[in-house]
Every structure is written in structure tokens, then in C-alpha cells.
Amino acid sequence: MKRNLGKIIALSLLTASVFTIGGNCVYAKEYVGKPDVNKIILTDGEPLTINVTTKTFQDSGYWADYALGNDFYYDGCKIVNVDVDGDINLNVDLTESNGQAGGVEVQSKDFQYSEEADMKIHSNGNINMAISSNIDPNNPYINQCDLNGIISRYRGNAQISAEKGIKVNVQSSSTSAYGVRATYGIIGMEAQNIEINTQAPDGKINAAINSQSNGDIKINAQEQLSAQSKGNLAYTIYAWGGKVDIKSTSNNIKSDFTGILAYDDRAKNDGSVNLIADDVNEVTATNTALFGHEYGTINLEAKKNIINSDNYAAFARLGSSVSIKSSELTQMTGNVHAETDSVVNVNYDSQDSFLKGFVTTKNATTNLGFTNGALWTMTGNSNVTNLKADGVLIDMTKNDKGNAGKLTVDRTLTGTGSSFVLDLDAANKNNKQESATSDYIYLNGTSEGAHNILFDVEASKISTDMNVGDKLYFAYVQDSNATFDSAVNLEKVSAENIYNYKYGVDSDVNADKQGNDWYIGLTDKTENENVSSVDGAMKAGYALGTEMDRLNKRLGESRYLTDEKGLWVRYRHA
């Protein structure tokens, strides 16, 4: 890689602290006894501002332009120390290039990592980086161009800290964009608040935080980390064979595409993301919030974890794992998917915790735990490997996100006292499976607990479309341990007829396979108060008729006592 140095600019207390350059890397060259140590030290609240306007288009080769750099490979500088009492402002505008540009770069002596290079940047105020590009999309070298806020390569070690805040903003109209990027390198960041934003055009990858090829990024924000990536290939946290560890009071991750991606094709646990918060982790993405791919690992730990996606809240495949641990609250909107030896672990352990989505498991493991009044609103057919349902509500009825027809628990159901809300339809009577209008629960492994079902009795039409002997099946329990009852009063489901219909929940042995089938059946049919009302009305009518008959008879016979002539007819009540 070539570097467009032009000239080396020396910074010291005797020079200005605002520099505007074109197409140059800026290095500190104030020697303090050692030729391999460079320093920029500004005191008394003085800020450091470097503006880079680069227009370095070359015929061939690969060029790089950064506001602050330490390239041990090209410049023989092992350590750079930047310590500024005021703010540090790095502004880079790339208009034409066939290489890289950005705010901070550090690179070791050689590609074999024989000696590391260090860069330490500290501000007693804020560190602000504004990196932008506007390269002609017809530029023949456009695919070689990248924008980077902070990049560390080949065991370069960049440590960036500020007493207040760090803000990295990378906006590209034509190239890929990365906020913080470690490629075989190390980056550490620490401040009260850290904000990283990237944006790239459609078809160009952009990531706010990117660790790849054994890269290692550690971020510590005392108050909040906020990271956002925009574009149809946006990965806000992108661990591709590298590690990302983030610790903060609260973490807010947003993406137009994927919130967090962890990938490690060598199965060495290098592709990993740990997002730890003392208070809350919030991840919002249009497509997939948490994506574990090919042995990658994603771990979220906080008091409260809030995950929102229009598609998948968690997706794991090819030996990867996604784990969400919350001590107080878990709220997830979006689906959960695991396939091909992957694992997803999530707990929902409070009344305000919920999952709104469906769960699919294909040759993988999903472990979901719902306790203490949590809610699962199913938006489609779901199968879970291990489900804990202890005093919770699982709603399978139609909702604004979809409609579930069946829930399958493949291995274990633990817990007791949960309620399953079902759509049931008497048209599916005597069938031991779900239909388009009647839901079903399959417990195919071990089970426990006494659970309830809730359903709309009137909508189910059991009082009009079921006779004695009919059974409306709703669950299969392979080991016969879990039991069901109705949370709906089935003693009297119709008062419009002259009979009371008594229904009950019971089970019978499955003749074709081991286990029990649970159903709702008509157990009793007795006359209700309407019968006595009808009987009384009939007797009153009869009495009235017979009395009128006798009266007519007497009135007729009285005509014989008069001298009136004519035909006498007697009408008799019958």
C-alpha cells in the first residue's frame, strides 16, 4: 500500500493547533529523546483540529489519507501519543481516491506482526470525527475505496479516550463506510458517551463497529454507547472473525438491515460480540436484529434487553449461538430462528417481558424460558426444543402480525400453571390435529405441570355443532405427564335453548402412538329453567281454553230461556 504523505507536519506547543491539509497523513514529530516516539501535547484547554480535504486520484497503486496516523511499516514510528486538553476535531472529506481515507490509522511494522505499533489519543474534552466522501461512481477504482473513522491493522494498537464524549460520523455517497474497524488490529475506546454512525449507498457494506480477521475491539462507555448504520447492507456491529466487547450503562444499536452479525468460519470463537449493559440493551433492525452465522457467538446481558425487528429478532445458523440474559425484563418483537447445529437461549422472567413472533428450529436447539407472568404472542406456527412455561400466557390466536396454528415442543416442557390461548372450531371435531381454524399443541418429549386453555366459546360453536360423543381435540402429550383444564366456565354454555350443555376437558390414550390426546367433549345435557317456563305457559293456555269452553257452553244454553228464534251453534275448545 502506498501512502500519499506529501510532507510530514510537526505539531508542538509552538505551532498552530488547527491544520488544513490536502491528501496527507499527519504525524507528530516532536522528538523527546527517542526517535521512535512522536507526541502531540496541547495544554491549557487548547483544542486540536485537523481538516483534510483529499483529492488524490492515482493511476495505480493503493493510497491512504488519514487525519492522524501511525504507520510503523512505512514511517518507522512505533509510538504516537496525542494528549489534548481541549477537544480533538478530525474532519476528512474524500472527493477522489482509489484507496482509504479517514480519521485515525495505526499499523504495525510488517504484515508478519513482528513488532506492534501503538497510538494513544486522549482528550480532556470531546473527540469528534466527521468523515465523508463524494467520489464519482464511475471512478474505475471505486471498489478499492473505503472510509474509516478509526482503523487498526496488522496488530496496530489504537487506544482512544475522552473525559466527555467520542463521536465518529462516517458518511459516504459512493463507497463502503466503517466507523471503528480492526483488521488484525486492536482498538480500545473509553468515554462517558460514545456515538458511532455510518451511512453508505445501497449495495455498499457499512458498519459502525467492524472487527475482522482476529481483530479485537473493546468499548467502554460510562453512560451510553449509541451506534447506527444506514443503507441496505448496513451491519451496525459486524464481527467477521474478530471480537467486539462493549460495556456501558446503556447500549442503543440501530440498523437499516442487520443490527449485530457475528461470524467465524474457522470455529475458533473469534467471531464474537458481547454487549453488556448495567441497565438496558436496545437493538432495532429492519431485517435481523441479532444474526449468528457459522460458529459466531452473540451474547447480550443487561437488566433489560429490548429487541425489535420487522423480520427476525434472533437468527442463528451453522453452529452459531445467540444468548440473551436479562435480570429484569426481556422484550422481543420479531421471530426467532435456529438451524444446523446452532443454539438460541432467551429468558423472559417478568410480567412486562414478552416475545411477539414465531419460533422455528431446524436441526438446532432453541431454549426459551417464560416465567412470572411473561407473555408469548405467537404470530405463526412454532417449534421449540426446550420450553419453560411457568405461570405465563401463551397466545396462539390471530393477531396483527399473523396467526399461529400449532405449537410443538420437541424435547422438554417445564413449569406449571400456564394458560394457552387458542382458536378452536367445532368443525375440527374428532380430528387429532390442527386445522385452518382450530389450534393444536404437540408435546413430543418430556413434560410437566397442570396448565389451562382459554378460548372463545361462542366462536368455537361447540354448543351448536357438537353432540354427545364428539370430541374437539387440542393437544397431544407424549409422556402423559402434563395436564390441561379449561379456564373458561364450561358448565353452561347456552341459555337460549331448553337444555344446559355441560362440557369438560379430558384425555384419552392415543391408539397409534404413545401418549394422551386432550379434548373438549359434551359430558351432560339437562333441562334448564326454560323447560319449566314453557311448561307453565302451556298449562296456562290449556286452562284458559277449557274455561272459555265451559263459559261458551253456559252462554249457549241460556239462549233456550229466551223467545229468540234462529240457529244456535256451539264452539268447543279442542
Side-chain angles (χ1 to χ4, degrees):
M1 180 180 69
K2 297 181 180 179
R3 183 169 306 283
N4 184 31
L5 294 177
K7 61 177 180 178
I8 302 298
I9 296 181
L11 306 179
S12 72
L13 294 177
L14 301 178
T15 62
S17 59
V18 178
F19 301 87
T20 299
I21 57 178
N24 293 282
C25 290
V26 176
Y27 294 88
K29 290 295 181 181
E30 182 185 87
Y31 296 102
V32 286
K34 295 181 180 179
D36 61 345
V37 177
N38 295 336
K39 291 186 178 182
I40 300 174
I41 301 175
L42 298 174
T43 58
D44 298 327
E46 190 174 5
L48 170 65
T49 299
I50 300 176
N51 302 312
V52 179
T53 302
T54 178
K55 192 174 183 180
T56 58
F57 181 74
Q58 304 294 331
D59 293 335
S60 61
Y62 189 48
W63 296 77
D65 298 303
Y66 286 84
L68 279 171
N70 180 22
D71 190 335
F72 194 12
Y73 181 75
Y74 284 98
D75 299 288
C77 183
K78 187 174 183 180
I79 300 173
V80 168
N81 183 26
V82 180
D83 195 345
V84 177
D85 198 28
D87 292 346
I88 297 176
N89 304 298
L90 306 180
N91 306 307
V92 178
D93 183 20
L94 179 66
T95 59
E96 193 171 14
S97 177
N98 64 331
Q100 294 185 356
V104 174
E105 179 206 32
V106 59
Q107 179 172 303
S108 65
K109 184 174 182 179
D110 53 44
F111 301 150
Q112 285 72 42
Y113 330 120
S114 60
E115 292 187 66
E116 295 184 356
D118 294 332
M119 171 169 272
K120 297 180 181 180
I121 301 175
H122 176 77
S123 168
N124 285 336
N126 298 291
I127 297 176
N128 302 303
M129 300 185 195
I131 318 298
S132 62
S133 75
N134 187 21
I135 301 175
D136 184 350
N138 296 318
N139 184 315
Y141 300 100
I142 190 72
N143 292 327
Q144 299 182 34
C145 297
D146 287 333
L147 278 187
N148 301 286
I150 303 168
I151 186 168
S152 175
R153 285 192 291 253
Y154 308 116
R155 304 317 295 172
N157 185 351
Q159 299 298 316
I160 318 294
S161 62
E163 296 301 317
K164 294 181 180 179
I166 299 174
K167 185 174 182 179
V168 180
N169 189 26
V170 182
Q171 306 287 320
S172 174
S173 63
S174 50
T175 68
S176 296
Y178 300 89
V180 178
R181 188 180 188 187
T183 302
Y184 293 105
I186 301 169
I187 296 176
M189 299 178 69
E190 184 169 2
Q192 286 184 353
N193 293 283
I194 298 175
E195 181 180 343
I196 307 169
N197 302 308
T198 60
Q199 183 171 359
D202 288 349
K204 295 292 185 179
I205 291 177
N206 80 95
I209 302 168
N210 171 224
S211 181
Q212 63 187 63
S213 304
N214 291 313
D216 191 350
I217 297 176
K218 290 181 171 60
I219 298 175
N220 184 11
Q222 286 85 36
E223 294 180 5
Q224 185 182 57
L225 166 76
S226 175
Q228 182 173 10
S229 294
K230 296 181 178 180
N232 70 349
L233 288 179
Y235 302 87
T236 302
I237 300 179
Y238 187 21
W240 191 275
K243 297 179 181 180
V244 177
D245 294 289
I246 298 173
K247 178 78 167 61
S248 180
T249 299
S250 66
N251 297 306
N252 192 336
I253 310 300
K254 295 181 179 180
S255 176
D256 285 354
F257 185 55
T258 299
I260 299 175
L261 168 65
Y263 167 65
D264 177 25
D265 59 351
R266 291 159 303 192
K268 295 180 179 179
N269 297 317
D270 289 327
S272 64
V273 176
N274 291 301
L275 192 67
I276 313 299
D278 294 332
D279 186 24
V280 58
N281 285 322
E282 186 168 1
V283 182
T284 302
T286 300
N287 186 54
T288 304
L290 309 174
F291 185 11
H293 176 59
E294 201 160 345
Y295 304 104
T297 61
I298 299 174
N299 177 46
L300 272 63
E301 295 183 20
K303 287 182 180 178
K304 294 170 279 190
N305 285 295
I306 301 172
I307 316 297
N308 295 293
S309 175
D310 295 338
N311 194 8
Y312 286 99
F315 192 107
R317 64 191 302 266
L318 297 174
S320 64
S321 68
V322 176
S323 296
I324 301 172
K325 300 177 183 178
S326 309
S327 60
E328 292 184 4
L329 176 100
T330 302
Q331 294 181 341
M332 292 177 63
T333 300
N335 307 314
V336 175
H337 176 84
E339 65 179 61
T340 321
D341 301 321
S342 60
V343 180
V344 174
N345 302 302
V346 190
N347 68 298
Y348 310 83
D349 292 329
S350 67
Q351 189 170 3
D352 294 325
S353 295
F354 65 79
L355 167 63
K356 189 171 186 179
F358 61 77
V359 178
T360 52
T361 311
K362 299 178 180 180
N363 300 318
T365 302
T366 48
N367 302 309
L368 303 184
F370 296 85
T371 65
N372 300 320
L375 169 66
W376 180 9
T377 302
M378 292 175 54
T379 61
N381 293 345
S382 298
N383 68 300
V384 183
T385 308
N386 300 299
L387 175 65
K388 182 176 183 179
D390 194 50
V392 300
L393 193 69
I394 298 178
D395 190 349
M396 298 173 61
T397 60
K398 186 176 181 180
N399 55 73
D400 62 325
K401 292 287 188 178
N403 187 22
K406 64 178 178 179
L407 168 63
T408 303
V409 180
D410 297 323
R411 194 175 299 166
T412 63
L413 171 70
T414 57
T416 189
S418 292
S419 295
F420 294 80
V421 189
L422 308 176
D423 286 321
L424 294 179
D425 186 355
N428 197 42
K429 61 188 178 185
N430 304 319
N431 292 321
K432 297 181 179 180
Q433 61 182 16
E434 73 281 358
S435 71
T437 55
S438 203
D439 298 339
Y440 220 89
I441 302 167
Y442 297 90
L443 305 182
N444 292 333
T446 62
S447 65
E448 67 178 18
H451 305 282
N452 292 313
I453 61 169
L454 287 165
F455 66 101
D456 187 328
V457 173
E458 183 177 354
S460 71
K461 299 180 181 180
I462 63 173
S463 62
T464 58
D465 294 3
M466 286 180 62
N467 296 314
V468 175
D470 287 337
K471 298 177 181 180
L472 180 55
Y473 289 95
F474 62 86
Y476 166 70
V477 182
Q478 185 180 61
D479 68 353
S480 304
N481 287 334
T483 62
F484 292 94
D485 203 347
S486 174
V488 180
N489 182 10
L490 299 178
E491 290 290 323
K492 180 180 179 181
V493 298
S494 177
E496 297 177 357
N497 300 315
I498 63 174
Y499 295 103
N500 284 340
Y501 299 94
K502 183 178 180 181
Y503 293 84
V505 175
D506 205 348
S507 66
D508 52 26
V509 177
N510 190 299
D512 299 324
K513 54 185 180 180
Q514 178 185 356
N516 290 345
D517 298 299
W518 286 83
Y519 63 87
I520 298 170
L522 178 62
T523 60
D524 196 13
K525 178 180 178 182
T526 58
E527 296 179 349
N528 62 22
E529 61 272 13
N530 291 335
V531 174
S532 59
S533 299
V534 171
D535 182 59
M538 293 177 62
K539 289 179 178 178
Y542 177 77
L544 177 62
T546 54
E547 288 299 320
M548 289 298 296
D549 183 56
R550 285 194 292 270
L551 175 61
N552 290 337
K553 180 177 182 297
R554 291 193 299 273
L555 291 175
E557 291 173 347
S558 68
R559 296 176 62 87
Y560 290 112
L561 302 177
T562 66
D563 294 332
E564 294 181 8
K565 298 178 181 181
L567 180 65
W568 175 75
V569 178
R570 179 189 174 197
Y571 172 78
R572 185 185 180 100
H573 174 78

